[in-house]
Amino acid sequence: MTKRSSKLTLAVAVAALTFASCGAPGDDSGSGSSASDAAVEAAEALGIDLDDCPADMTDPLGDTAKVGLTLPLTGGPAAAFAVLGPGVKSAFEEANAEADLPTKFELILKDDQFQPDKTLVAARELVQKDGVVGFSGVTGTAGVLAIRDLLREECLPGIGLPGGGGTVLDPAYPEVVSGAVPFSLDARVWVEDVNERFPEGAKIATFIGNTESGKDYAEQIDHWLEETGSKSTIVDKETIDAADAAAPSSAVTTMRNSGAEVLFAAPTGAQCISIMTEAANQGWEPVIYMTTNCSSSTYFGAAGGAADGVLTLQTYKDVGSPRFADDAGVQRVRDVLKEYGGGVDLTNTTAYSGYVYGQMFVEAAKQAAASDLGLSKLGLIVAARNLDFHPDMVADGIDFTTSGLSDVAPIEAGELNSWSVAEGGFQQGKLYDFEGELTQK
Amino acid sequence: MALPVHIPAGSRADIGWRVGRVVLIALLVFATPYLVPSFRLSQITGALVLAIAVVGLNLLSGFAGQISLGHAAFFGIGAYTTGVMTVKWETAVPITLVVGMVLCFVVGVLVGLPALRLQGMYLALVTLAVGVLLPSLIRRFDGLTGGSSGLFGMEWEPPGIAYFAGRGGETVWLYYVTVVALVLACVVVWNVMHSRIGRAVVALRDNEAPAIMTGINRAFVRTVVFGLSASIAGLAGGIFAVQAGILTPEAVSLLLTINLLVAMIIGGRASYWGPVFGAFVIYFVPVWTSDLSQGPISGVLFGALVILLVFVMPNGLAGGLTSLVRRVVVVVPQPPRGATEGPSPVPVEPGDPAAGNPPLEARLVR
């Protein structure tokens, strides 16, 4: 080593030691709260150790509090999901104006481009920079999984997070409360209905997207066929990439040639339309069950006559359907979106869904404020884990209920409706209710 | 004092100028964890990870002039190697990084073979195929990679010393790991470009036929550079895996390659600081534009800024900064020892280290 480089190395080493002597830069831990016995008991019932949580876990939220929402504001998925923001925001604005809560909520949006790694980065910023007291509306199973460890670490509630995958309904993460129809509910209803229609069994073909939800669907269909002792069998499994915009001609031909009498379809976006039209074009007429992700009059209407009689599970009211044209709940939410949504498209069902996710958070806040724990982070988590209410945008007879760790899925019921071209909307079908049965054991 | 100040190369002032910059950078590196909150440090680490990948791409596309549209694939191979090995087989992270780099080197060499016969857009198309293929393979082998659902649970526990204690200890640890990896990547590229291979790379880029006639082994040079470039991108991917803790096919899609290319151009093609500047722009501009405007307009702002930078600084941020510094300080090359002293700086013949003359580029770019 030359004399010059020795001096340089020494200088760098001295600088390093100087900074090291300042203490650990990451040592910002301030955990361990002086919680009441009731708070400790409530937390322990959910598997939360308050000693591992920030000290303000049981403190009242104060006059104002921020709630975080990461969503795609740029990139391809933004076209479909960016409208969630005004929906969620409207629920909080409405609560600020009308609900008698001790805290006014401000929703902070952050772009995540619908990429889980970016969701986590954005969520960290919302926690540390903006000091959010919780999250609402973060979309997609992978996105929810990305932030659930952060929620656990910071002991923050994530209420109304629309991830339908089974992993989102994990009692090990009591902070996470889903706002989506679980794919397990969809798959179970399909299997139960097939068992009723075909007591002697049917040949089933599946057409499922290469996505995180597709994987869940495939697993859940197999699970419920076995669990219910169904005599039906899957004779063909076809998949499609999420970005594949071409008509699924060869997949439909293969499924038709397999002799399948039933089609379970869980594609994505515009593929909801093309699978129905392609099946009709090839003259294949199985009993079609379409994923709840496609259960919108937008998709079914676009498929024209091909959608006639196609079945789909619906929990939320379809704003484009004549059945709900004069529905008081839909009308009320429409008025709220009109007032607080900043010019959001009032025919877009996603905006209404966003409202429901925000409404779940607000409902938990109301219950927490009325409880002994008060409106604190812990109060919110405990309240969200013991929800029982009926959102305006949810069909009659279906409530959002949770119960501690024994029932972590708020939505466990839905109507299996069929599309009617003559009616120009969905016809009300049988209500399937599996309340308390979808929590992972 | 009239600007610019002229400093003779090799003088005490020149040495002070050099050492001062190194010390300043070292101070900045050590001070950053104290100056910014944990989330911002995590974001800075994310930008540094991108910078490593851009350093790799810059070696291939900047210095060697070979367009690659498949670098996201090498990044992804490194990322998923670390992800799968740590999560499924509980292998130590450093081992997975090395394995990932070796794997990327091999794949890089294989992909680089067409580069012996193809150039320009044709080579770009071959590499594009690799970039498009990887996300599909990740989804296809979902039992191993987690598929579209993602692979979770990668982490790199910091050493059990007080400096990395606390809730943000892992963030600080990964920051330093990334800084060290970036420095190593830069040193490797610097050494390669100042070696016999580096001169061959430049010769092949600028005029292939005469370069081959002088005895340069084109096949060896091109494939080695392709492999090195890929392995550096793989290193970045491996660190990304433990830094993000989540891997999905979308994270290594074609969009990442485009981002890396844009970062290289914005930062300054074939420059040593360019990848770092470019990576920070690519990483932080979308973050800040989405803060300014919460809506689709943030994408428009980002695009407009990129176009503006390309027009205002055609040589990239590194080139712009160099021009700026030269308005203040100019290091004047001195004649080689033993040469007759002339009235003014004597041009130095480039590229003959054996004779004591470093390459001209190395003495002028400061």
Side-chain angles (χ1 to χ4, degrees):
Chain A
M1 189 180 280
T2 63
K3 193 176 173 184
R4 198 172 69 187
S5 58
S6 299
K7 284 180 181 174
L8 185 65
T9 307
L10 184 68
V12 172
V14 168
L17 288 170
T18 306
F19 281 109
S21 66
C22 296
D27 191 10
D28 56 355
S29 56
S31 60
S33 61
S34 53
S36 66
D37 291 344
V40 172
E41 193 178 330
E44 283 178 350
L46 295 177
I48 298 170
D49 185 350
L50 289 180
D51 287 337
D52 294 337
C53 293
D56 64 349
M57 179 71 180
T58 55
D59 294 346
L61 296 183
D63 294 338
T64 59
K66 292 174 180 172
V67 178
L69 167 57
T70 69
L71 76 172
L73 296 172
T74 57
F81 295 113
V83 73
L84 273 173
V88 180
K89 184 173 174 243
S90 296
F92 286 108
E93 294 289 329
E94 181 198 25
N96 289 342
E98 296 174 17
D100 188 22
L101 286 170
T103 301
K104 303 291 182 198
F105 291 102
E106 180 190 357
L107 185 74
I108 309 290
L109 277 64
K110 200 88 190 157
D111 186 17
D112 67 4
Q113 297 172 33
F114 211 53
Q115 291 186 25
D117 57 298
K118 290 190 167 63
T119 303
L120 179 58
V121 171
R124 277 188 187 139
E125 183 169 349
L126 285 167
V127 171
Q128 294 180 21
K129 182 183 166 193
D130 297 298
V132 297
V133 298
F135 287 83
S136 185
V138 178
T139 306
T141 301
V144 175
L145 294 182
I147 65 166
R148 68 177 185 176
D149 281 325
L150 176 71
L151 297 180
R152 162 47 58 97
E153 190 180 313
E154 300 289 339
C155 301
L156 292 176
I159 304 170
L161 307 185
T167 46
V168 174
L169 305 175
D170 187 349
Y173 290 88
E175 301 86 358
V176 177
V177 181
S178 172
V181 176
F183 304 141
S184 53
L185 174 63
D186 226 358
R188 181 165 183 183
V189 169
W190 293 353
V191 171
E192 295 277 2
D193 197 64
V194 167
N195 291 346
E196 284 179 28
R197 286 173 189 261
F198 302 93
E200 297 307 314
K203 291 178 181 175
I204 302 170
T206 62
F207 178 74
I208 291 174
N210 273 327
T211 62
E212 70 273 15
S213 58
K215 190 180 168 190
D216 261 346
Y217 269 107
E219 288 174 0
Q220 289 296 325
I221 289 167
D222 289 341
H223 171 75
W224 289 113
L225 282 173
E226 188 183 336
E227 185 79 12
T228 58
S230 176
K231 293 177 181 172
S232 299
T233 53
I234 296 175
V235 293
D236 187 40
K237 293 180 178 181
E238 298 295 323
T239 60
I240 184 167
D241 283 340
D244 194 341
S249 307
S250 62
V252 169
T253 303
T254 309
M255 290 189 289
R256 187 191 62 189
N257 292 342
S258 72
E261 305 150 288
V262 172
L263 170 61
F264 289 165
T268 310
Q271 295 164 353
C272 302
I273 304 165
S274 60
I275 181 64
M276 289 188 277
T277 52
E278 189 60 32
N281 289 344
Q282 294 197 21
W284 185 39
E285 295 178 342
V287 178
I288 300 178
Y289 296 84
M290 188 65 71
T291 168
T292 187
N293 291 339
C294 298
S295 66
S296 155
S297 52
T298 308
Y299 293 130
F300 278 72
D308 201 33
V310 173
L311 299 157
T312 189
L313 186 75
Q314 291 193 304
T315 294
Y316 287 57
K317 295 170 182 170
D318 186 73
V319 293
S321 186
R323 178 181 159 196
F324 299 111
D326 299 320
D327 184 88
V330 172
Q331 190 54 49
R332 199 192 70 75
V333 176
R334 187 178 287 129
D335 291 343
V336 172
L337 291 175
K338 195 184 285 181
E339 185 166 357
Y340 302 111
V344 67
D345 178 8
L346 296 175
T347 63
N348 191 318
T349 53
T350 307
Y352 292 82
S353 301
Y355 174 84
V356 177
Y357 308 143
Q359 194 182 17
M360 287 179 73
F361 196 109
V362 169
E363 188 62 28
K366 287 177 183 172
Q367 288 189 26
S371 73
D372 293 341
L373 296 172
L375 186 45
S376 61
K377 292 174 189 171
L378 179 63
L380 277 168
I381 293 172
V382 172
R385 278 272 150 256
N386 293 280
L387 276 180
D388 187 2
F389 83 112
H390 179 79
D392 301 276
M393 284 304 300
V394 169
D396 293 341
I398 303 171
D399 292 330
F400 280 16
T401 54
T402 53
S403 178
L405 298 180
S406 60
D407 177 8
V408 300
I411 308 169
E412 294 174 291
E415 295 174 351
L416 188 62
N417 299 333
S418 60
W419 181 259
S420 166
V421 174
E423 299 275 329
F426 290 100
Q427 282 191 314
Q428 190 173 1
K430 182 180 176 182
L431 176 69
Y432 285 88
D433 193 342
F434 300 110
E435 185 55 50
E437 297 178 34
L438 298 183
T439 298
Q440 293 177 8
K441 303 298 179 192
Chain B
M1 187 169 58
L3 291 176
V5 176
H6 288 82
I7 300 174
S11 66
R12 283 184 177 278
D14 180 31
I15 293 168
W17 172 240
R18 289 187 194 196
V19 172
R21 281 181 298 175
V22 172
V23 170
L24 192 69
I25 292 165
L27 283 173
L28 189 66
V29 166
F30 285 116
T32 299
Y34 294 95
L35 298 177
V36 300
S38 180
F39 80 89
R40 192 66 81 198
L41 190 66
S42 181
Q43 290 177 336
I44 289 170
T45 307
L48 291 172
V49 169
L50 268 187
I52 298 172
V54 182
V55 166
L57 181 64
N58 194 35
L59 173 62
L60 184 68
S61 299
F63 289 109
Q66 293 181 286
I67 300 172
S68 169
L69 297 179
H71 256 57
F74 301 125
F75 186 92
I77 290 170
Y80 272 93
T81 301
T82 294
V84 170
M85 288 182 76
T86 53
V87 173
K88 306 278 183 184
W89 306 326
E90 297 180 356
T91 313
V93 175
I95 296 172
T96 69
L97 294 179
V98 174
V99 172
M101 287 176 70
V102 171
L103 203 58
C104 285
F105 185 88
V106 173
V107 176
V109 167
L110 292 175
V111 175
L113 288 176
L116 303 176
R117 292 188 174 274
L118 301 175
Q119 281 187 329
M121 293 310 294
Y122 297 99
L123 176 62
L125 279 178
V126 171
T127 56
L128 175 68
V130 180
V132 171
L133 187 65
L134 186 75
S136 299
L137 287 175
I138 292 167
R139 291 191 184 95
R140 176 70 184 80
F141 297 102
D142 58 347
L144 191 66
T145 64
S148 297
S149 305
L151 190 63
F152 295 83
M154 293 78 71
E155 56 183 1
W156 193 350
E157 288 289 328
I161 56 175
Y163 189 75
F164 298 114
R167 292 162 74 91
E170 190 177 353
T171 306
V172 177
W173 163 245
L174 288 174
Y175 164 74
Y176 281 115
V177 166
T178 312
V179 167
V180 169
L182 176 61
V183 170
L184 284 177
C186 290
V187 167
V188 166
V189 171
W190 173 275
N191 283 332
V192 165
M193 290 313 298
H194 287 79
S195 69
R196 186 184 294 271
I197 290 179
R199 288 189 292 280
V201 163
V202 174
L204 282 170
R205 179 193 67 193
D206 292 343
N207 213 332
E208 187 175 295
I212 293 170
M213 286 168 66
T214 59
I216 289 173
N217 186 339
R218 184 183 64 168
F220 174 76
V221 170
R222 286 226 165 125
T223 49
V224 163
V225 167
F226 223 112
L228 264 180
S229 172
S231 63
I232 292 172
L235 172 66
I239 298 174
F240 172 79
V242 287
Q243 195 255 338
I246 307 155
L247 287 177
T248 56
E250 288 76 24
V252 294
S253 68
L254 200 58
L255 186 65
L256 175 65
T257 294
I258 294 167
N259 277 340
L260 296 179
L261 278 168
V262 173
M264 185 185 74
I265 302 295
I266 287 179
R269 201 170 135 264
S271 72
Y272 291 98
W273 279 104
V276 180
F277 294 144
F280 271 79
V281 169
I282 284 294
Y283 191 95
F284 279 104
V285 167
V287 172
W288 288 330
T289 50
S290 76
D291 280 349
L292 285 174
S293 171
Q294 294 188 334
I297 196 73
S298 64
V300 178
L301 285 174
F302 174 61
L305 188 71
V306 169
I307 293 169
L308 187 72
L309 279 173
V310 169
F311 273 101
V312 175
M313 296 184 182
N315 292 324
L317 288 166
L321 191 68
T322 303
S323 303
L324 206 64
V325 170
R326 280 182 182 163
R327 290 185 183 186
V328 183
V329 177
V330 173
V331 179
V332 182
Q334 296 300 296
R337 283 177 191 172
T340 310
E341 287 194 9
S344 187
V346 176
V348 180
E349 289 300 321
D352 188 7
N357 300 340
L360 181 62
E361 185 185 39
R363 303 198 66 178
L364 289 178
V365 180
R366 294 177 189 282

